[in-house]
Amino acid sequence: MKGEFLQALPIIETIQENGYEAYFVGGSVRDFLLDRKIGDVDIATSATPDEVQKMFPKTIDVGKKHGTVIVLLNGKSYEVTTFRTEGQYVDYRKPQYVRFIRSLKEDLRRRDFTINAMAMDKTGEIIDYFGGKNDLKNRVIRTVGNPYERFSEDALRMLRALRFVSQLSFQLEEETKNAIIRWNRLLKEISIERITNEMEKLFAGQSSNQAIRLLAETDVYRHLPGISHLQDRLLKITDYPLQQLTEREDYWLFLTYMLKIEDVRMFLQQWKLPRKLIQNVALQRERLSVLLEKGWTNYLLYQAGIDSALQLERVKQVLQKEKNVSAFQTLKDQYINLPIRSRADLAITGKDILDIIEKKPGQWVSKYLQIIEEHVLNRKLENDSGNIKEWLIHCNQKLDENC
Ligand code: ATP
Ligand code: MG
């Protein structure tokens, strides 16, 4: 058994000593069988949340009425969830009630996909009532039970299906795919935050190209913010080496460029992304246009700063369908060799300018500073106060701020 499970084993043993069942379930079992990196180790049990809380000294109540208690053990936290079934779904996203039960099989039945509906006992034995192992072997995403019902209960599952296609490089089982085509419109009932969360996982997956093609083919894209009319552009994206994008902001920058989004801020607001991300991506989007037009100038590199510059380079390489690892080092070297890296490095200040040119303070000062910056960065002007002052006097006489 893998270390992640061994560490959590005392939880299962304690629950069993108290006379209840407990198993590892869900994503960790799937990822273990696929030999992928194991994320959170979740536990399912026949004990109720109150019973679980009594067994462990350190627990956190995160959603007892849904059955989940967090148990803290050796500095790690584990979700321990009581076996449950769910009542009729309302609004295509939430069950009317959840009922705690004592049957593992019924708990596994309510889970979304066969590959997510397996359990593992404390000896490492896999419990697989719904053909999960077989689907893992054949690399398919298939709902537990009738996909038409399962997606109409909870529409988010459709996006989860595509997200797993991307993360695991699996195929969608045919009826599962047909059911998505049938029910994609129910996605309008799902909160944007949950949609965005799944979409970001989808973009980050190994097979995002395949998953994006499915977004287009199944018409799911029609219910995504700001792209409901952009099927052709979305399909174009699938020809690009998206795996070279590594950061969350990379995807949004690439996406807004490829989809030719005019109002980047508004588009990203529709996805309810954090303000900071929106701000960064909007700035980067402008810089990206400059980069594609003019290539790397010292001024652009200076303006962006090294981290944003590396991001622009990543996105540029994807847009140009190239992979040039050494370009990143070249860019770092170019950055280190810039004559200045911030305005504070400039050998002259706004106050100096006001002393030399006796005009009323105003916007013009920062305009001058910017021009000096550009000249210094382009090595037209040495970053030396005497030098710059001379240049200023000369320019001012000619009344030509660009000199
Ligand atoms: P990840 O690696 O992203 O955490 P995961 O499979 O663990 O993948 P979670 O969202 O953490 O996914 O959910 C844990 C488990 O709960 C899933 O494996 C699945 O069994 C079940 N599950 C999660 N969301 C749903 C849903 N919308 N409908 C049915 N079952 C779900
Ligand atoms: Mg998980």
Side-chain angles (χ1 to χ4, degrees), residues 27-28 30 39-40 42:
S28 62
R30 173 197 71 220
D40 299 332
D42 297 332

Side-chain angles (χ1 to χ4, degrees), residues 26-28 30-31 40 42 110-112 116-117 150 154 156-157 160 163-164 167 194 201:
S28 62
R30 173 197 71 220
D31 290 338
D40 299 332
D42 297 332
R110 67 151 177 105
R111 293 173 183 269
D112 48 7
N116 289 343
R150 301 311 309 281
D154 177 0
L156 187 74
R157 289 173 188 153
R160 284 176 60 85
R163 176 265 267 207
F164 286 118
Q167 289 181 323
R194 295 176 80 201
K201 289 182 182 173

